[in-house]
Amino acid sequence: QVQLVESGGGLVQPGGSLRLSCATSGTIFSTYAMGWYRQAPGKQRELVAVISSGGSANYVDSVKGRFTISRDNAKNTVYLQMNSLKPEDTAVYYCNAGGSDLYYGGRHYYPMGQGTQVTVSS
C-alpha cells in the first residue's frame, strides 16, 4: 500500500517561506514523476509543480520564481520550497506520483493523502 505523507505546513506572514515535505513508501519512487497540488477553500485542486524522475521541474505561472520542487530518491521524499509567499498561496497542499505526462494533465496514481495546511496571513 502506497502512502503519501505531507508535512511542513503552517501559518506564515506574507513574504515568508516554508518548506513542505512528502514522504512516500511502498512504491518505486525514483521512477515516478512527483507533483505538488493545492486546494484553496471553495476552489478546485490545482497542480502547482512537477519534478520528473530525471529531475526536470515545471511550475504553474503563479508560482514560478518563488517555489522550487526537488526530490531525494534515497529518502523517497519530494520537497517544495516556497518563498515570497502570498495570501493567495493559502491552501491545503498535497503530493502525488504520476507518469511523464503528469504536468500536462496526466492522472496521478494514488488517492490523495491528508495534505498539509499552508496559511499566509498577517
Side-chain angles (χ1 to χ4, degrees):
Q1 177 109 11
V2 172
Q3 287 189 315
L4 303 164
V5 180
E6 302 92 348
S7 62
L11 172 64
V12 63
Q13 292 186 341
S17 298
L18 284 172
R19 189 194 195 204
L20 307 184
S21 298
C22 170
T24 70
S25 64
T27 188
I28 309 175
F29 175 82
S30 63
T31 66
Y32 291 170
M34 294 297 299
W36 280 99
Y37 299 77
R38 67 184 179 187
Q39 187 165 18
K43 295 187 177 181
Q44 288 190 331
R45 186 166 58 221
E46 65 169 340
L47 182 61
V48 173
V50 172
I51 186 165
S52 72
S53 58
S56 298
N58 283 289
Y59 305 91
V60 294
D61 287 346
S62 60
V63 307
K64 281 181 181 177
R66 301 189 297 121
F67 289 11
T68 303
I69 188 171
S70 61
R71 65 192 297 159
D72 185 336
N73 290 339
K75 296 182 179 180
N76 289 349
T77 301
V78 61
Y79 305 97
L80 187 68
Q81 178 66 44
M82 307 187 296
N83 299 328
S84 302
L85 282 161
K86 304 176 181 180
E88 51 263 43
D89 296 318
T90 296
V92 179
Y93 284 71
Y94 305 87
C95 69
N96 217 304
S100 58
D101 62 348
L102 186 62
Y103 182 73
Y104 302 102
R107 67 178 182 88
H108 55 80
Y109 287 166
Y110 305 110
M112 292 294 182
Q114 295 292 321
T116 186
Q117 174 71 49
V118 171
T119 303
V120 185
S121 175
S122 55

